[in-house]
Amino acid sequence: NFMLTQPHSVSESPGRTVSISCTRSSGRIDSNYVQWYQQRPGSAPTTLISEFNHRPSGVPDRFSGSIDGSSNSASLTISRLRAEDEADYYCQSYDINNHWVFGGGTRLTVL
Amino acid sequence: EVRLMESGGGLVKPGGSLTLSCVASGFTFSSYGLTWVRQAPGKGLEWVSFIASGASYINYADSVRGRFTISRDDAKNSLYLQMNSLRADDTSVYYCMTRPSTGTYSGHWGRGTLVTVSS
């Protein structure tokens, strides 16, 4: 099986752009879809990105997903950062047995 | 509006059983794969189980296989998770969600129900 490694925390100022990485430990990052979820304090998660870069209806275009084969990682990029973006962010993919694998989560602090 | 509402959580002793329910509305329930995800207090997300549309495919995390059973009743727009032989480390908020994809109603989450396993 593989692991998805995320930075424990990131911080950035309002109006700036921040990226959160999700590195796959083995196997190609593009071999299985990657999703991104946002969880604000005290709330249930919501889906920000599905299937690498699809943004569900209602998700602002400030959020985007991408993958980088050279680093074997996926990234969530948030532009025009807002105070309301302060939350935990999780990446998720699938293994060869169709088990879901979650990253450990990244706490985003908006300074 | 898509709604997923979990229920059935509560306090149960180690070794006990509990059945969670998730009632859905606002979309064609029978067409979607459904997932249970849990989150222990102060911890990250952990996948529990998945059931495809028509229950054509079912899968479990290793940590719950043999103890938990997922099922669905499309006539009642309901998803279930029967949990047996519960352990302290099963203590979590349990969320149901529609399988993420590019579909219109994919990737929706419920608000969760808390299961506490303690003597």
Side-chain angles (χ1 to χ4, degrees):
Chain A
N1 210 345
F2 64 88
M3 294 175 57
L4 296 173
T5 300
Q6 301 179 232
H8 185 259
S9 63
V10 296
S11 59
E12 188 52 268
S13 301
R16 303 294 294 269
T17 297
V18 67
S19 289
I20 298 172
S21 63
C22 172
T23 302
R24 179 167 170 157
S25 61
S26 63
R28 292 167 56 115
I29 189 66
D30 62 354
S31 60
N32 303 94
Y33 287 131
V34 175
Q35 281 64 231
W36 288 93
Y37 306 103
Q38 177 191 62
Q39 186 175 33
R40 294 191 173 107
S43 296
T46 61
T47 301
L48 288 177
I49 299 290
S50 59
E51 298 188 358
F52 297 126
N53 56 17
H54 173 78
R55 202 169 44 248
S57 174
V59 175
D61 61 5
R62 301 186 298 108
F63 295 89
S64 62
S66 62
I67 58 171
D68 180 353
S70 64
S71 60
N72 211 38
S73 64
S75 290
L76 173 70
T77 299
I78 310 171
S79 60
R80 306 187 298 279
L81 205 57
R82 303 171 66 160
E84 67 201 48
D85 299 331
E86 190 159 286
D88 293 327
Y89 293 84
Y90 296 90
C91 61
Q92 174 263 315
S93 189
Y94 307 97
D95 71 11
I96 194 170
N97 295 311
N98 289 319
H99 292 189
W100 293 34
V101 179
F102 280 100
T106 299
R107 173 69 55 88
L108 169 62
T109 300
V110 180
L111 300 171
Chain B
E1 178 191 4
V2 173
R3 293 194 66 183
L4 297 165
M5 182 70 71
E6 302 91 339
S7 62
L11 176 63
V12 60
K13 289 181 168 53
S17 298
L18 210 55
T19 298
L20 306 182
S21 301
C22 171
V23 178
S25 62
F27 65 102
T28 306
F29 182 82
S30 60
S31 297
Y32 283 80
L34 299 156
T35 296
W36 288 100
V37 173
R38 68 184 182 183
Q39 186 172 35
K43 302 297 184 182
L45 301 175
E46 180 188 13
W47 172 70
V48 174
S49 183
F50 169 78
I51 185 167
S53 59
S56 58
Y57 178 81
I58 287 174
N59 209 348
Y60 298 98
D62 293 344
S63 58
V64 306
R65 184 177 294 108
R67 300 188 299 123
F68 289 11
T69 302
I70 192 172
S71 62
R72 62 190 297 161
D73 185 338
D74 291 345
K76 296 182 178 180
N77 282 2
S78 293
L79 171 71
Y80 305 101
L81 185 69
Q82 181 181 345
M83 305 184 295
N84 299 326
S85 303
L86 283 162
R87 312 184 304 221
D89 62 358
D90 293 318
T91 294
S92 292
V93 175
Y94 285 74
Y95 299 100
C96 64
M97 68 173 299
T98 54
R99 190 184 191 281
S101 70
T102 58
T104 303
Y105 303 109
S106 65
H108 281 272
W109 296 70
R111 293 187 177 185
T113 187
L114 175 62
V115 173
T116 303
V117 184
S118 174
S119 54

